[in-house]
Amino acid sequence: MAQFVVAGAVFLATAGMRDDHGIGLVGRALAMAPRLLLLVAFAGCLHWLLFTLPAMALARLLADPPGAASRAVLGAAAVTAAHMAWAVSVWDVPVGWTVAWIAGTGVLPVTAAWYAHRRSLGWGAMATRIGAVTGAALLVTAVGGFLLEWTGWHRYEPPRLDRRRYVGEWVGAGGAYSLRLGENGEAEGQNLPLVDAYATQWETCAGTGTWAFVPQRPRDRIVLTIPGCGALRDWQPTGSADRPQLFAVRGDPGSPSVITLYRP
């Protein structure tokens, strides 16, 4: 539960730094809702197995007074460093964000476990103290999120690309979706989303045709014309200028689905 609170607080506080794909925070949350519970349960168990258990085991080995608290912190830091080195080497992710996420999501559960073990608290007393700390953390997070939204600090801006940057292959969902944009305006697509707002994920179209680059604000658009497919969704840029992506939104407006394409 503590990890869930931390993850939710970080998501809300940094919502303005991510692309909402034009459907807003509420729409994005609705789109993620069916997978949210399973994702949280899996992430919590994985974090407990990879971080909390090893950190607490090291803390118990090193917990002889005096300096038990500092040794527990050193144990958690050692586990964090090991996971950070593995994540950075395998996935090439930024070191700072890796440390912040691994250690940040572990602060509440490890602190709670250490405090409960030291004080021999029951579940009721434990829940009361953690609830008070969590409430304070959520209040600080809410204020921080409001300030970020109000000031526009680090607000996400879609990349502005030249037409030639869109030429080439774009794929998504492990190759299930694909779009090839030619230099002379030719286009070839597979599993392209239709305009119908209530089209299911199986209602797609494939074929060859043409594409046009339409520069506009706040996002440029890639307009496809493929005979036999009828009206198609416009593709819009997301990601960053260094790693651009294309996305299209389809499905029920109350629960939209975002399709993302990236360079293979």
Side-chain angles (χ1 to χ4, degrees), residues 31-45:
M32 296 173 60
R35 295 165 288 180
L36 184 60
L37 292 178
L38 288 178
L39 180 62
V40 168
F42 174 77
C45 291

Side-chain angles (χ1 to χ4, degrees), residues 28-203:
R28 187 64 172 165
L30 288 174
M32 296 173 60
R35 295 165 288 180
L36 184 60
L37 292 178
L38 288 178
L39 180 62
V40 168
F42 174 77
C45 291
L46 185 63
H47 193 279
W48 169 74
L49 180 64
L50 296 179
F51 182 89
T52 307
L53 282 184
M56 294 307 298
L58 285 176
R60 282 192 294 269
L61 290 175
L62 302 173
D64 294 332
S70 61
R71 290 170 180 170
V73 172
L74 289 176
V79 175
T80 298
H83 290 322
M84 177 204 69
W86 174 69
V88 170
S89 62
V90 173
W91 289 317
D92 191 26
V93 294
V95 174
W97 282 110
T98 304
V99 173
W101 182 250
I102 295 175
T105 55
V107 167
L108 282 179
V110 170
T111 302
W114 172 80
Y115 186 77
H117 178 73
R118 182 169 177 266
R119 295 288 186 177
S120 298
L121 295 176
W123 283 104
M126 185 67 193
T128 301
R129 286 163 172 76
I130 292 299
V133 174
T134 298
L138 288 178
L139 179 60
V140 172
T141 300
V143 173
F146 172 78
L147 291 176
L148 286 175
E149 183 67 22
W150 181 57
T151 61
W153 184 69
H154 275 248
R155 179 176 296 172
Y156 176 80
E157 293 290 339
R160 310 291 298 185
L161 307 175
D162 294 331
R163 180 185 182 277
R164 63 178 181 273
R165 294 284 304 277
Y166 294 99
V167 175
E169 297 285 341
W170 300 84
V171 298
Y177 309 117
S178 66
L179 178 64
R180 186 183 65 83
L181 304 178
E183 176 67 32
N184 299 320
E186 66 274 13
E188 180 179 357
Q190 298 288 335
N191 292 336
L192 300 177
L194 304 176
V195 166
D196 182 8
Y198 296 95
T200 67
Q201 61 179 333
W202 296 281
E203 295 180 75

Side-chain angles (χ1 to χ4, degrees), residues 1 97 104 189 257:
M1 288 303 299
W97 282 110
S257 174

